[in-house]
Structure formats: structure tokens, C-alpha cells
Amino acid sequence: MIIDCHGHYTTSPAAHQAWREAQLTAFASGQSAPAYPLITDDEIRASIVGGQLRLQRERGTDLTIFSPRASAMAHHLGDAAVSEAWAIHCNNLIHRVCQLFPRNFLAVAQLPQTAGVPISHAIAELERCVTQLGFIGCNLNPDPSGGHWQDKPLSDRSWYPFYEKMVELDVPAMIHVSAACNPAFHSTGSHYLNGDTVAFNQFMTSSVFKDFPTIKFIIPHGGGAVPYHWGRFRGLAQDAGLGLLKDTMLNNIFFDTCVYHLPGQELLAKVIPVDNILFASEMIGAVRGIDPETGFPYDDTKRYIEQLPLSAGDKAKIYEGNARRVYGRLNQQLKKQQQ
Amino acid sequence: MIIDCHGHYTTSPAAHQAWREAQLTAFASGQSAPAYPLITDDEIRASIVGGQLRLQRERGTDLTIFSPRASAMAHHLGDAAVSEAWAIHCNNLIHRVCQLFPRNFLAVAQLPQTAGVPISHAIAELERCVTQLGFIGCNLNPDPSGGHWQDKPLSDRSWYPFYEKMVELDVPAMIHVSAACNPAFHSTGSHYLNGDTVAFNQFMTSSVFKDFPTIKFIIPHGGGAVPYHWGRFRGLAQDAGLGLLKDTMLNNIFFDTCVYHLPGQELLAKVIPVDNILFASEMIGAVRGIDPETGFPYDDTKRYIEQLPLSAGDKAKIYEGNARRVYGRLNQQLKKQQQ
């Protein structure tokens, strides 16, 4: 089985995004948001069959761990109530996708985050998604301000109530920023990759993994700059007396394979132990074109993995085994959805 | 000849840093800064002979393109006058190092930058350093706010007067942030690497290289996350109709080799054309330990280059030829210093 641990619902029905715009317009003028529109099963089917499902079939993957569109989380817009309502509707829509296509998708939650609002505010929605809707993880935004980096680092105790809930529910978080509203950054370029690097560095200099020895985080986009600079980070940790990264970080941190060329994938597999790599493509996502150097889509990451000098057993870990281990509720939920 | 294009004066005499502290204390209390202290040639010699010079000899490099300590630029402290006085003293000290060791060091300038102050303010100091003191380049900070990213992107027209002066003087800039005062970031970890990635992305989506076809920038630390994500950036540029990076970026952008492990160096040399790679170590800098996996210092980057599957001619470009091309005043200045 090939599990893609990083897919966003980037093709959601137009009415969903239209409601979001209406919600923000209402907020700006001090009004209540309009009622969320009726979206039919057929509309959802149409948005999936020709998109994610077609690509799963064409590329030979089986299951996508699926979450709301990351760039549209936009935690910097509105206020805490706006983010909460938006997260609930986004998550409900993901749940419906998983009900309609139970063999192809498992759900991961968007969180109701807002800059300056304690992350404990997001616990209720995580709990609802996991215990009532069968979600197996969440996307945690380390910078709800959208590129102003105003919140406390992930090492701060203010995040701990959320980490406690993650451990209790046995769900991992993918660390994933949203769109940047700071003109210094390109949302799906520098901001996404930098968010990944920042998160790793914040955990590296923290005691989070001492305090939560079983907690698990996925750093997407191949870990940002981290594997390319693995020597630098090993050296920084060593100089600071923090020990070896393989001991201090790799029981809790996992990297996905959203790296859109073969040399990057080769580096990732050479530097990071195979037990810490999870297959992912982020399709349909940030890069949708055909690479003129290969003739295939940049984000068809399975083609790169196939070319890596790894054993079949190691590839099976990347494709399936590690995801089943990192997402503690995956096996049970998949069984339930496959009945 | 082996030219290290990225060295900072991290071992400067204690009196120099003490003056900086006194300057900031005076600023905080609304006083004038004290007089800059007398620093003797012997003090400067002592700070270099046992540090940079010893490592040049031990590692077999010949010449370091040398600039003030990057993390200590701290453009977010004080105001424009404070940054200007600090830059002048730092640059004068670098000039003295180059006078004392004319065969081992060529100078690169710190700029008097301040968040919210137009970069045109820095032109006079660049001109002084280049035309009067024989400097061959400068370090340009894309985020003088120290991790709050408050200034306009490098694509903005407000940077253009400075670019015009760079072209006129025929000097390149290394894009280099300073210490982060935002607790989200680790100065020499996430902030340095993210600054590199941001700068590349800002140029990629700009018309700077159309408007300044001969301008040259060095992105340090192996280009941040960019070479590892070369496929992603190629795809983002393509999707946005910006063309091929090799056409649009590689006449103007160069990457240094401050990547502290062999797999990262292998990736860099595989992905980026050899004409765009400049040898560098950043010693004595961010990572000073011995890599237990090799038994050698992490930042002894020459050892990695030696192991790359490149021809002697290609290695000579990385070690020397490219630096002579990118730093337009290097040959003439070196000749002068070697007399």
C-alpha cells in the first residue's frame, strides 16, 4: 500500500471558498457570517474524482492523508471566532470526502488558531475531529500571524496543553504554516520552507521531546532546509551541548518527501534514517507543472523514490510502514473506513 | 589559489566589542558614544595569527574575503546614526587587518542599515570603503529589523539606488542577515538559512536582474534551502510564467559552499552549475566543533569539495576562478596588496 501523508483539499467546491469570503466580508463590517451553504455529495465527488482520485490512480498511490487547503487556513484573518468557524466547516468538508471515498482518504484537521490566542483554544476542535469524526492527525501552524512570527516558539509552555491532548489522543501534528501576509515572503516558496526550518530549530533547542517522549511531528516539504544542512544542525546542537540529533530529535520528528527533484530526494534518503521519512507529494498543491527535465510532473514524487538506491523493505517503510507507526490511529480508522 | 569568499572577523579585539556595548548604553540613555578606543596593530595581529591565519594554513586555503562579524551587525539596535558609526569602525578594523595581512585577506564592508531607513543611506559608506579603502564587496542585510521582516523586499524600487552604486563600483553583495531579535528564530540556524531562501525567492519574482543585468549577489550558506528545493523553485517559477531559473537567475546569483557535510555539498554541485558556486567556509563562524562522523571540523569545507566528482578545472572554478569573476575588483586589489 502506498500512503501519501500530505494532501490538501485544494479543489474544494466553489461555494465553500465563497462562504469564506462572505464570512470575512461580514467580519470586516461587524456583521454575522451568512449561513454555510448546502454543498451536495455530487459537488464533492466532482471535485475529487477528476482531481485527487484521478492522480492517485495515474500515479499508483492508494491512500491520501487529507486536510483542508493549507494556504487557505489564513489564521491571520478575522479573529478567534472567525478561525474557529472556518476550521469547523473545512474539517466537516474533509470528513464528507472521507465518507464518500473511505478507501482513498483519511482525515487530518485544520486547527482554529489565531495570533496571540493560546493554542489551548484549538483543543476542542481537535478532540471533536478525532473522537467524533475519525481524524488521525492535525496541521499545526507555528506562525498564525502569517509571516510576522509574533507568537511564542513551539518550545514555549503555552503550547503544552495542546501537546498533552495530542499525546492523549495519539495523533501526530504536521507543522504547516499558511499563506504569508508579510510581503517579504512567498507563501508556497520561502514561507513554507522557512516555517519547516524554524519548527525544527525551535524543537531542537527545546525540552519538548524530554517532556513528551512519545509525541510525533511531521515536518513537511522534506524538512525545509534541514536535511540539506544536517551537518550544520548537528554541529549547532553539538556546540550548544544538546547532544546528537539522532538521539534527541529522531524519535519525534519525521520528514515527508515533498521534494520536487531527484537530487533532493537522494539527499534526504542519504542523510535522514529511512525510519524517519514518510512518503508524500502534496498533490494537488504548490507546484503543478511538468518538469521539462524529466517530462513528468514535479510533484509526482513516487517517481523519485522509485529511483533511490534503497531496498524494497526500506521503500515499504517510506511508502506505508512509517505512516502506520507515526499516525497511531491510522490502522484502526482505515479498518473502519474499509468495512 | 584557494579563495574563501565568506569569512567574518569573529575574533576581533575585545576593546572593539566593548566600545559597541558602550555605544549602545550611551544611546539608551540619550548620551553621545564614547571615543573609539585605540587598538594596536599587535592586538589585531594576535587576534588573527592564532585564529583565521592558523586555520588558513592548516586547511590549505590562501585568501579570505573578510568582513565584520555578521551576527554583530545587529542593524535592529540603536538608530541610523548608531548603525553608521558602528559600520565605520567595523570596516576600518577590517581595513587594518588587510593592511597587516595583505596577502591573506581582502575586505568586504558592513553597511549602515536600519529598519525603515532607505538603503540609499548606505551608499556613502560603500563608496568610502570601495574607493578609499580598497574593499571589493559588501554584505547586504535583507532584514535590518532582525527577524521581524519589516522592510520592503529586495525587489522594491527603494533598493535600486544602492544596486546602481554596486554596478557602478563593480562590487557584488553577499546577502546576509544579522542576529535575530525575534525569539521565533535561531540566529545562525533558522534565521541565517531563511534569510538566504527569502532573498533568492524575492529576486526570483522580481525584475531586478532585468533592470540590472550585470549585478551580482552571493547567497551564502549554500543558498539556504534553495538548492535542496531546486525542483520546487524551478516549478514555482515555471507555474508563474517566470521562465527557467538557469536563464533568469544564474547570471546574477551565486551560492557559496558553507554547507557542513558531504551529502549537502554533493547536492549543491549536482544541482547548481559549477560556474555559480564559490568556495567558502565561514570559519571561524557559526559551527566550530569536530564532526564525530568524520573526525574533522564541520566547517572545514575544503575536505568536502576535494571528495566531489568534479574535474580539476571545475574545482579550480569553485576555488578561485568564479571569485575572480564575481568580485570585479578582486584581481586589481590583490595585485595592489601583494606588491
Side-chain angles (χ1 to χ4, degrees), chain A residues 102-164:
Chain A
R103 291 166 184 274
N104 300 96
F105 297 97
L106 287 174
V108 154
Q110 172 176 329
L111 297 170
Q113 295 184 246
T114 302
V117 174
I119 187 69
S120 53
H121 184 81
I123 290 176
E125 177 61 4
L126 177 68
E127 199 147 30
R128 180 183 81 94
C129 288
V130 173
T131 62
Q132 295 175 34
L133 306 182
F135 281 46
I136 63 167
C138 60
N139 292 330
L140 186 66
N141 185 347
D143 173 30
S145 73
H148 293 286
W149 292 95
Q150 293 168 342
D151 276 82
K152 294 200 170 145
L154 296 167
S155 52
D156 191 81
R157 297 268 156 171
S158 58
W159 297 86
Y160 274 32
F162 190 81
Y163 298 160
E164 283 166 19

Side-chain angles (χ1 to χ4, degrees), chain A residues 287-304:
Chain A
V287 178
R288 306 188 181 192
I290 306 286
D291 186 346
E293 296 183 9
T294 66
F296 296 107
Y298 287 99
D299 68 359
D300 188 355
T301 52
K302 183 161 159 281
R303 290 183 183 273
Y304 311 128

